[in-house]
Amino acid sequence: MKRTTLEKRLESEILILDGAMGTMLQQYGAGQGCLELVSLENPSLMKEIHREYVAGGADIITTNTFGASRIKLASYGLQDRAVVINRTAAGLAKESAGSALVAGSIGPTGKLVTPLGDIGAADVYEAFREQAAALCDGGADLLLMETFGDLKELKIAIMAARHATGLPILAAMTYEETFLSFTGTGPETAAVVIAAAGADVIGVNCSTGPAPMLEIVGRYAVHSSKPVFVEPNAGLPSIEDDEDTYRVTPDEMAAFSETFVQLGANIVGSCCGSTPEYTRAIRNAVKGMKPVVRHVDPCLRLAGRTVSVSIGSGLPFAVIGERINPTNRDDLAESLREKQAGIVIREAESQVEQGASLLDVNVGVPGIDEPEVMGMVVEALESSISVPLVIDSTNRKAIEAALGACTGKPLINSVHGSEESLDAVLPLAARYGAAVLCLAVGEKGIPVSAAERLAVLEKIIARAEAAGIPREDLICDCLTLTVSAEQKRAEETLKATRLVREELGLPTVLGVSNISFGLPERSLINATFLSMAMGSGLDAAIVNPADRRIMETVRAASVLTVRDRDSIAFVRSHQKKKKKTIPGKDRAGRKESDSRARVREAVISGNRTDIEGLIRRVLDEGMKPVDINSELLIPAIQEVGRQYDAKVIFLPQMILAAETMQRAFTVLEPLFQSGEVSGAGTVVLCTVKGDVHDIGKNIVGLFLKNNGFSVIDIGKDADAGTIVDAALRHRADVIGLSALMTTTMTEMPEVIRKLKEAGSSAKVVVGGAVVTRAYAAKIGADGYAKDGPAAVSMIQELLSGRG
């Protein structure tokens, strides 16, 4: 199916997507083990399920391949059968579809991509490319990517599928009740990145019932012009008489579906707990409705992992921090040579705190491996700060390394009018879904007049559009030239800026500080020129946000150019009380050394590259290993937990902080005296029988280790006998059980029963995506924990009275 064919159909018709596959397999007694294997072992059952959904009125039926990437299948030893499973499943669906379309289902790998996890982006890309190609070969009409919680993994999946096939792509994130994914991404940011990566329809599915998804569909519709699809669960599952039950009825789901369409959804289906009965009710409710005609004002949209920024006329002025640049910065240059990210992270955090809404990233140090260092820096920055990045390099390989490392949608700085630059940069931007800064430099250098600069920009824009880059992904730089030698240059730059706005309708950006080169009072010249440029319609500027005069100019000019509506940001900036930094103190009341403060800072910010050197430094200063652990590391990781609970930071930052703590501990552990650090207790950790998902369990284990617990991780798909044996053999104080699926959470009470029969006194704490506090109480568990910090608190509480 051509992408344009689906696009055209969605302009005039609401399409109905089928419901849950796992629920149907469970009803037919095939809901255990590797569900994707049913396509090979019981093809008649698969065709029967597909036909039931077609009879229920589905316009699109879904293949039984949600977990059929080779990475996910490896949990069952089936990785070498990935192609045949996907191809066969698509063929079975095609045979059963009639006039319905077949969507090849692609789900997450169950692994976290580096730097959060231990699987590389290249391996994930290849797994998704292979799966998409096999589904296409088997007869899929389109691809359906569902239940992704990590934006980076979904971006990789979309890019891999786009490379492998020309099929339309529907791509959905799953969100928690906070309207954030488990890695902290909201709908607005997801919409920017999903669309840029190459998806044709953006969506939300699973995790919650239909009510919370109303907000998400509405946000998608307001912030993106892409068609929207939605697949809610039939509510959240509960266990009754050892069966998982969903609370939302087909009629209730149908009523919500009408509202989804009214909010802007083009495709409506259902997810976990739903059956063909739900599909029939949805079709009866919405099939006669027409899609809402939405108008989303075009502008340049950029994104980090958790924050998106819109740039254009009438929108807030964008400050691009310029300080991550080793030119005339010996300390930064040396740290980049040593592949250390500490200074970069501190510089980034400082610029964001001072008001930067984007960060320019330049690592151009002579003699270094720029692609390698650029990739490292981008990963470190995305793990530490949330704002979008501007990739500043003329090295094609370095640009590609940065784009490959980026979770969000970055801006490439820059492309100019030479054939060499156009050929190097534009294909990369098109492939990775990046925006491009168009620099008004032609084959013969910088044009003198505004009209000539405009002509160069028009050439670049035409080439960019021909390369498949949307016009709204371009921003123009008319060049700031020093006025110390020729004062007329400033006038031409301002004139060119106005022309871009009036004739090209695109946003503009300038690197401001060049204007004052060679003059005294550079800050004054820079700020004055900036105010003139903003008056001429400038939308963004690359500046030093630490320059107070510059930032005051931005805020004041934003009021006068009506970019700061009702002067809210201006007033807020002047209401903030100036806070003096007070050095920390140790228990004796002495001022804390800079090295000690930096140890805490490194853990909290997840600075893995610098922590070992910082630990050795405080050891050299005479601090005892046991005191480093109790006074610096433990309080730091506890602060991470508090920030995570308060949603100040999210899963990526929490993981990196925990890993940083582990690296610190590896330096200290050999130095501890016998008995100096007492264990907090022994915890046996696993996911239960039938469940091969272990991301959450691994994170819990990391946090427990960082808080002094001895963790015995017996892995995933652990049966009750294995768990009981480990509990007795290791004299466990606590057993931690995890389950992601309703079909496996019922194993938990069986484990608890067998532990009691074996005489184990260990406390049992349960958790996982489908597990609730009420379920934990019902099955007789001693506690429930939703995440790593909660698990630490719960287990500490359970063991607090231990004699």
Side-chain angles (χ1 to χ4, degrees):
M1 183 181 193
K2 292 183 178 179
R3 301 171 67 187
T4 53
T5 302
L6 179 64
E7 180 183 8
K8 209 66 176 162
R9 191 170 175 182
L10 293 178
E11 289 176 359
S12 59
E13 183 182 358
I14 301 298
L15 296 184
I16 312 302
L17 193 57
D18 65 6
M21 178 61 69
T23 299
M24 292 296 290
L25 289 171
Q26 192 172 5
Q27 287 187 5
Y28 279 103
Q32 296 294 328
C34 179
L35 303 186
E36 290 73 20
L37 202 55
V38 177
S39 297
L40 300 184
E41 296 180 342
N42 196 345
S44 61
L45 173 59
M46 287 310 314
K47 289 195 281 190
E48 174 61 25
I49 293 172
H50 289 315
R51 286 170 183 151
E52 288 186 41
Y53 275 119
V54 172
D59 296 307
I60 305 171
I61 60 171
T62 308
T63 60
N64 179 29
T65 53
F66 176 79
S69 69
R70 74 165 39 245
I71 294 171
K72 193 70 174 283
L73 289 172
S75 299
Y76 302 99
L78 298 171
Q79 61 270 27
D80 292 335
R81 304 186 75 181
V83 171
V84 69
I85 288 174
N86 282 281
R87 189 180 291 150
T88 300
L92 294 172
K94 196 70 174 176
E95 290 177 33
S96 313
S99 61
L101 300 173
V102 172
S105 176
I106 297 176
T109 61
K111 304 286 186 181
L112 284 173
V113 185
T114 53
L116 303 183
D118 56 5
I119 187 165
D123 291 334
V124 175
Y125 181 96
E126 177 54 30
F128 285 132
R129 187 209 60 76
E130 176 185 62
Q131 186 179 11
L135 288 166
C136 182
D137 290 345
D141 300 296
L142 51 93
L143 299 174
L144 175 63
M145 298 175 180
E146 308 172 277
T147 325
F148 281 79
D150 179 13
L151 184 62
K152 186 168 188 175
E153 185 181 24
L154 179 54
K155 179 181 178 181
I156 293 170
I158 296 168
M159 289 176 55
R162 181 59 59 228
H163 177 249
T165 81
L167 298 180
I169 296 173
L170 282 63
M173 291 283 288
T174 184
Y175 301 93
E176 298 176 356
E177 291 182 353
T178 57
F179 306 122
L180 298 172
S181 74
F182 79 89
T183 52
T185 301
E188 297 87 348
T189 298
V192 172
V193 178
I194 292 171
D200 299 279
V201 188
I202 60 176
V204 53
N205 82 296
C206 203
S207 68
T208 68
M213 290 189 179
L214 295 171
E215 174 76 15
I216 295 168
V217 170
R219 292 194 197 179
Y220 276 158
V222 168
H223 289 89
S224 176
S225 59
K226 290 286 185 182
V228 174
F229 77 99
V230 57
E231 299 175 275
N233 285 349
L236 292 174
S238 62
I239 301 297
E240 296 179 3
D241 300 325
D242 294 327
E243 296 289 337
D244 53 295
T245 304
Y246 290 81
R247 302 302 182 106
V248 177
T249 67
D251 287 343
E252 290 170 333
M253 184 73 83
F256 276 108
S257 297
E258 291 185 63
T259 308
F260 286 136
V261 173
Q262 291 165 356
L263 288 170
N266 305 82
I267 302 174
V268 183
S270 52
C271 202
C272 300
S274 65
T275 62
E277 187 180 358
Y278 285 79
T279 303
R280 185 174 292 106
I282 292 169
R283 183 180 184 87
N284 290 340
V286 306
K287 193 56 183 176
M289 299 177 70
K290 292 296 181 183
V292 173
V293 178
R294 299 171 8 228
H295 176 73
V296 179
D297 290 333
C299 65
L300 172 61
R301 291 181 170 87
L302 303 170
R305 183 188 291 273
T306 60
V307 170
S308 55
V309 173
S310 298
I311 302 174
S313 179
L315 296 172
F317 190 81
V319 174
I320 304 173
E322 67 180 7
R323 293 282 296 163
I324 302 176
N325 189 319
T327 304
N328 298 322
R329 292 279 308 275
D330 291 343
D331 58 340
L332 178 55
E334 184 58 29
S335 71
L336 293 174
R337 287 192 189 96
E338 296 178 358
K339 299 177 184 177
Q340 299 292 314
I343 293 177
V344 168
I345 292 171
R346 290 196 297 275
E347 193 67 75
E349 291 173 339
S350 174
Q351 290 185 96
V352 171
E353 184 178 346
Q354 290 158 347
S357 46
L358 302 98
L359 294 180
D360 189 82
V361 183
N362 184 310
V363 299
V365 178
I368 68 168
D369 184 338
E370 188 177 346
E372 180 185 2
V373 174
M374 180 66 90
M376 177 205 75
V377 166
V378 167
E379 284 192 346
L381 287 173
E382 283 205 329
S383 300
S384 304
I385 51 98
S386 56
V387 302
L389 302 180
V390 180
I391 309 305
D392 187 352
S393 179
T394 57
N395 183 319
R396 187 187 187 280
K397 291 183 178 179
I399 295 171
E400 184 161 21
L403 297 178
C406 268
T407 298
K409 176 185 176 183
L411 173 66
I412 299 174
N413 180 14
S414 55
V415 64
H416 52 77
S418 74
E419 291 300 316
E420 181 182 3
S421 177
L422 293 167
D423 290 341
V425 174
L426 296 183
L428 289 178
R431 178 183 177 190
Y432 287 91
V436 180
L437 188 154
C438 306
L439 200 62
V441 177
E443 293 279 10
K444 298 179 180 179
I446 302 171
V448 174
S449 71
E452 290 172 313
R453 295 183 198 180
L454 192 71
V456 172
L457 292 171
E458 287 175 330
K459 172 188 174 182
I460 297 172
I461 293 164
R463 290 286 292 275
E465 291 183 305
I469 300 169
R471 190 179 182 87
E472 57 265 28
D473 281 349
L474 305 176
I475 186 169
C476 298
D477 186 337
C478 297
L479 289 166
T480 304
L481 303 173
T482 179
V483 295
S484 59
E486 176 54 66
Q487 288 175 274
K488 287 285 187 180
R489 289 174 169 177
E491 183 180 342
E492 286 301 313
T493 297
L494 297 176
K495 183 178 178 181
T497 299
R498 289 191 293 271
L499 284 174
V500 169
R501 182 176 185 179
E502 294 164 1
E503 298 190 20
L504 302 181
L506 291 177
T508 53
V509 61
L510 289 172
V512 170
S513 60
N514 288 342
I515 198 76
S516 63
F517 184 78
L519 293 172
E521 287 288 347
R522 294 192 64 185
S523 175
L524 176 60
I525 295 289
N526 293 344
T528 302
F529 176 69
L530 177 59
S531 67
M532 295 171 67
M534 289 181 69
S536 297
L538 188 70
D539 300 291
I542 303 172
V543 296
N544 179 8
D547 187 326
R548 181 177 174 182
R549 182 182 274 149
I550 285 287
M551 296 308 294
E552 287 178 342
T553 299
V554 169
R555 295 185 187 106
S558 292
V559 171
L560 299 176
T561 56
V562 202
R563 291 181 181 272
D564 180 7
R565 299 299 174 111
D566 300 319
S567 308
I568 292 173
F570 183 81
V571 172
R572 187 183 296 126
S573 70
H574 285 273
Q575 286 176 335
K576 290 180 180 177
K577 295 180 180 179
K578 296 178 181 178
K579 295 181 180 180
K580 294 182 179 179
T581 301
I582 301 174
K585 294 185 178 181
D586 63 19
R587 290 181 177 176
R590 298 182 296 270
K591 286 186 177 179
E592 185 176 62
S593 74
D594 179 64
S595 297
R596 298 182 189 189
R598 287 182 62 190
V599 167
R600 285 182 179 151
E601 176 188 318
V603 173
I604 292 170
S605 65
N607 183 359
R608 297 176 299 177
T609 59
D610 289 357
I611 187 63
E612 293 176 30
L614 290 171
I615 292 294
R616 293 188 179 95
R617 186 176 301 174
V618 293
L619 285 169
D620 291 343
E621 291 174 358
M623 194 171 188
K624 294 180 179 178
V626 66
D627 292 338
I628 295 173
N629 185 53
S630 62
E631 297 179 19
L632 302 184
L633 299 182
I634 295 295
I637 203 67
Q638 289 173 339
E639 175 62 20
V640 169
R642 284 191 290 270
Q643 290 188 18
Y644 179 76
D645 284 340
K647 299 301 180 185
V648 175
I649 63 172
F650 300 97
L651 185 65
Q653 293 90 347
M654 185 174 74
I655 291 174
L656 292 178
E659 291 179 350
T660 301
M661 173 89 167
Q662 281 290 293
R663 291 193 182 189
F665 204 74
T666 57
V667 177
L668 294 177
E669 193 170 23
L671 305 177
F672 291 138
Q673 300 298 315
S674 177
E676 200 170 32
V677 178
S678 58
T682 299
V683 181
V684 169
L685 208 58
C686 65
T687 55
V688 296
K689 182 181 177 181
D691 206 314
V692 296
H693 304 87
D694 62 357
I695 291 176
K697 181 261 297 178
N698 294 342
I699 295 168
V700 168
L702 195 57
F703 262 79
L704 290 172
K705 290 176 184 176
N706 285 341
N707 281 272
F709 290 94
S710 173
V711 176
I712 311 299
D713 188 341
I714 59 174
K716 53 195 176 184
D717 192 21
D719 60 40
T722 302
I723 298 169
V724 170
D725 178 68
L728 297 176
R729 184 155 34 91
H730 296 286
R731 298 181 180 180
D733 300 295
V734 175
I735 309 297
L737 304 177
S738 175
L740 185 73
M741 304 183 296
T742 57
T743 54
T744 58
M745 64 192 285
T746 53
E747 181 72 12
M748 290 177 168
E750 176 68 7
V751 174
I752 293 172
R753 183 181 67 81
K754 289 196 173 182
L755 282 167
K756 289 179 179 178
E757 289 177 354
S760 172
S761 61
K763 305 291 185 182
V764 178
V765 177
V766 298
V770 295
V771 179
T772 63
R773 192 178 304 279
Y775 180 67
K778 181 176 179 178
I779 65 175
D782 299 287
Y784 160 78
K786 63 179 181 178
D787 52 38
V792 171
S793 298
M794 172 56 66
I795 293 173
Q796 287 174 337
E797 181 181 336
L798 289 173
L799 300 184
S800 60
R802 193 176 52 169

